[in-house]
Amino acid sequence: MRPVFIAPLLFLFLSCEKNKNAIAVPDKSAFPERWELVEMRGSQINAEPLRGEGMAWQSRYIFHKDGSFQKFRMINGDTISAQGTFKWTVIEDRHYMELSYTSGKELIESCSRDTDTLLYGEGGTLITSWEICDGPFLVYKPVSE
């Protein structure tokens, strides 16, 4: 084989190699998806993480195939709910879920008054952006029924 043919094949092979540091894309076909709050940390440096019943509240998202979501927060025996729509976006190879609330805006866990932005992180977690504006650092994980 001539070197002229080898160079394009080598380029094609190397350009198709997967980025070993990339986070796997979330499975957007598995609906409804249920995610529960599994870790909460204060905004102070080196704050100890709280888990389970030690957290200030419990929270759950349910994402539906039609792009809608429901959110529930359980605190002191009461349940508060919210709903809205979501969409996935990619910024610099990182996957984010943007949530737009139609009700229950008091449950927004970000600096915005209308939307939440959740980062799809390592280990298949969703991480809120609330800590940027001195809110707690919150981590959600998927759960099966």
Side-chain angles (χ1 to χ4, degrees):
M1 209 186 264
R2 293 184 179 168
V4 173
F5 293 110
I6 294 174
L9 290 174
L10 183 60
F11 175 78
L12 181 63
F13 174 76
L14 291 175
S15 64
C16 291
E17 187 176 330
K18 290 185 177 183
N19 180 352
K20 292 179 175 81
N21 295 325
I23 295 173
V25 178
D27 180 7
K28 298 171 191 154
S29 65
F31 289 98
E33 285 190 341
R34 300 179 193 301
W35 293 73
E36 287 189 4
L37 180 64
V38 295
E39 183 178 314
M40 176 183 287
R41 212 173 323 153
S43 59
Q44 302 82 14
I45 296 174
N46 298 322
E48 288 293 318
L50 302 172
R51 295 181 181 91
E53 296 299 318
M55 296 185 296
W57 66 81
Q58 306 297 312
S59 187
R60 177 180 336 119
Y61 285 106
I62 301 174
F63 298 104
H64 301 279
K65 192 173 194 168
D66 66 358
S68 66
F69 75 89
Q70 296 168 286
K71 182 177 183 176
F72 303 93
R73 180 179 291 166
M74 292 69 70
I75 185 168
N76 298 327
D78 293 326
T79 299
I80 307 166
S81 64
Q83 58 186 356
T85 59
F86 72 93
K87 67 179 182 176
W88 286 99
T89 61
V90 179
I91 302 170
E92 296 180 9
D93 294 330
R94 301 198 75 174
H95 295 266
Y96 295 89
M97 184 181 274
E98 293 179 1
L99 284 63
S100 297
Y101 285 69
T102 56
S103 70
K105 291 183 180 185
E106 66 273 17
L107 297 185
I108 292 176
E109 297 170 342
S110 73
C111 305
S112 169
R113 293 179 185 233
D114 297 312
T115 61
D116 266 340
T117 302
L118 304 172
L119 168 66
Y120 186 77
E122 292 183 36
T125 60
L126 288 175
I127 302 168
T128 68
S129 60
W130 206 1
E131 76 279 358
I132 295 170
C133 52
D134 294 329
F137 177 83
L138 303 174
V139 178
Y140 288 84
K141 284 195 173 184
V143 294
S144 57
E145 286 193 66

